[in-house]
Amino acid sequence: MSLPDRFHLVETTLREGEQFAGARFSSAQRVSIADALDAFGVEYIELTSPAASPQSARDLEAIARRGLRARVLTHIRCHMDDARLAVEAGAQGANLLFATSEQLRQVSHGRTLDEIIERAVEVIAYLQRHDLEVRFSCEDSFRTPLPDLIRVYRAIDSLGVQRIGLADTVGIAAPRQVYDVLAAVRAAVGCDIEFHGHNDSGCAIANAFCALEGGATHVDVTVLGIGERNGIASLGGMIARLAAIDPALVARYNLGMLGEIDQMVADMVGIAIPFNSCITSPTAFTHKAGMHTKAVLADPRSYEVLDPSLFGRTRTVAVAHRLVGWHAIAERARELGIYLSEAQARVAAARIKALGDEHDIDGNTVDELLYEYAE
Ligand code: HCA
Ligand code: CU
């Protein structure tokens, strides 16, 4: 398995992310998000369809005109009405979507595969005449039989589109399945391949990564993973996954901005950055248990697969708790300019453990206790 030489992030906070229950971005917020993501360096920014609402159409036009480095895409139904609006708004590309699984075909449009392809031919030709980059996705790809998927994608590929997309719309796919399906589709088409995966069963980042290993060239992410239900792969999670293999894979991005971007969007949608967010969680680089802190103080790589400084973060060694070890206590004392012998540090650690057994303690309590040694 190998990663493609070049992968692209399709950042869809301004489309999928808007489908998060708590999201309602103002025009100014949409612009702030687009600018921040552009400064971070994502290759594509996907916006809500101009057919969604009049303000969405105006905002798409305004953001498409900002002259961003990132290409501005809009996500539309495979329909001429929507395609015309996308062209009018000046989008640089259109991400088309058509449901192909049994489950969704029945409830959403009732069309056969041939009818889907026929419609796609008309819409894609129109977009291509207007020089838009085109991607076509089968919604609910992972509940669509593989032969059906391949049939649709081959037909679409032959139209000369830039990409086809696979969407795990309901978050049902498992990583090895994603790899297998991607590899099969990779062998069947010549164009680029995008992957979009939901997190209902907790596999969004793993699936996006396996998609890349299987031959995807583009992956969809949102800030903090926000989206429909519990969302999709997060920008920070994808960066972490790739950086854990080799920081060079993500060196082209402005990694120091991740924290501010996550915080900005968290504030806009009324949540805190989740404790289990990769990289930007408040505790992402906090070490606690004595065994961990001893090793991390000796060599950070012992328990840190990502270097916090790559992301403008610093390591924290938690000392105000009953799991503390004497190495961490000695280190905290050194930070305060107090030099403890091993025996003294062991005694201090024992006192903190005993206190921690009785009640919650904070950093000040520990520091006060250590200052007693300085006197
Ligand atoms: C949705 C659509 C989508 C589209 C993904 C894509 C999905 O159901 O809201 O175009 O690749 O998850 O299928 O977000
Ligand atoms: Cu989605």
Side-chain angles (χ1 to χ4, degrees):
M1 290 186 208
S2 68
L3 287 172
D5 303 339
R6 184 112 182 111
F7 62 88
H8 306 76
L9 294 178
V10 178
E11 222 296 341
T12 178
T13 299
L14 291 172
R15 196 282 296 173
E16 176 74 51
E18 285 219 334
Q19 295 176 225
F20 178 58
R24 186 198 163 279
F25 302 127
S26 67
S27 300
Q29 287 176 333
R30 281 170 162 164
V31 169
S32 302
I33 292 172
D35 285 355
L37 293 169
D38 189 51
F40 179 80
V42 300
E43 289 81 8
Y44 292 86
I45 295 174
E46 185 183 71
L47 274 74
T48 294
S49 168
S53 73
Q55 190 61 51
S56 299
R58 288 191 289 271
D59 291 345
L60 170 61
E61 191 172 343
I63 290 173
R65 283 211 186 121
R66 288 186 82 69
L68 303 180
R69 275 184 308 163
R71 289 182 75 75
V72 176
L73 308 174
T74 186
H75 189 265
I76 58 175
R77 293 171 304 174
C78 190
H79 197 292
M80 283 302 293
D81 293 348
D82 294 16
R84 283 193 198 95
L85 290 175
V87 168
E88 274 168 30
Q92 292 167 294
N95 271 357
L96 300 172
L97 179 71
F98 221 130
T100 51
S101 67
E102 279 285 303
Q103 289 89 338
L104 291 194
R105 259 201 284 161
Q106 276 167 17
V107 293
S108 91
H109 55 70
R111 288 190 171 74
T112 65
L113 291 189
D114 284 331
E115 288 165 341
I116 292 172
I117 293 168
E118 203 178 306
R119 170 75 73 80
V121 168
E122 184 193 2
V123 173
I124 289 170
Y126 172 80
L127 292 167
Q128 288 174 330
R129 275 203 303 282
H130 289 87
D131 288 327
L132 267 75
E133 182 170 328
V134 177
R135 185 220 67 178
F136 179 96
S137 265
C138 290
E139 190 184 12
D140 207 9
S141 312
F142 292 84
R143 289 192 301 180
T144 304
L146 188 56
D148 288 1
L149 274 185
I150 302 255
R151 185 160 142 228
V152 174
Y153 289 141
R154 278 218 170 104
I156 301 293
D157 184 36
S158 74
L159 303 173
V161 299
Q162 275 74 17
R163 298 187 294 293
I164 50 124
L166 282 95
D168 181 18
T169 305
V170 296
I172 197 176
R176 283 196 298 197
Q177 176 192 4
V178 170
Y179 178 84
D180 290 344
V181 172
L182 263 290
V185 173
R186 177 69 286 165
V189 299
C191 63
D192 282 348
I193 305 178
E194 182 170 328
F195 174 81
H196 174 100
H198 278 263
N199 201 35
D200 299 73
S201 59
C203 290
I205 292 167
N207 284 346
F209 180 69
C210 281
L212 283 177
E213 287 189 319
T217 48
H218 295 61
V219 285
D220 289 14
V221 293
T222 62
V223 175
L224 297 171
I226 59 170
E228 199 74 49
R229 306 184 304 283
N230 79 333
I232 67 165
S234 63
L235 172 63
M238 213 51 223
I239 293 289
R241 179 81 285 279
L242 293 162
I245 297 170
D246 182 357
L249 287 171
V250 292
R252 66 179 184 271
Y253 300 112
N254 197 343
L255 300 176
M257 286 184 71
L258 257 185
E260 61 192 84
I261 291 175
D262 277 8
Q263 192 60 59
M264 173 178 74
V265 172
D267 291 345
M268 287 177 185
V269 301
I271 60 171
I273 295 178
F275 83 90
N276 57 354
S277 290
C278 300
I279 299 170
T280 60
S281 151
T283 58
F285 300 102
T286 298
H287 304 275
K288 181 171 172 185
M291 239 169 53
H292 287 239
T293 52
K294 175 186 174 191
V296 154
L297 289 169
D299 178 358
R301 285 170 303 181
S302 57
Y303 284 100
E304 263 173 16
V305 77
L306 301 170
D307 176 354
S309 69
L310 269 181
F311 312 99
R313 297 217 49 187
T314 49
R315 171 175 317 118
T316 302
V317 171
V319 290
H321 58 85
R322 63 184 172 187
L323 307 182
V324 76
W326 72 265
H327 289 90
I329 290 299
E331 175 62 21
R332 177 63 195 152
R334 260 193 298 281
E335 282 168 16
L336 299 173
I338 304 160
Y339 295 88
L340 302 186
S341 65
E342 176 179 336
Q344 284 174 317
R346 282 182 185 278
V347 171
R351 286 178 61 193
I352 292 161
K353 283 171 178 292
L355 278 179
D357 263 345
E358 283 165 29
H359 52 75
D360 259 1
I361 44 178
D362 63 16
N364 289 334
T365 310
V366 172
D367 288 356
E368 277 160 25
L369 198 143
L370 293 175
Y371 280 125
E372 286 173 20
Y373 289 88
E375 286 156 9

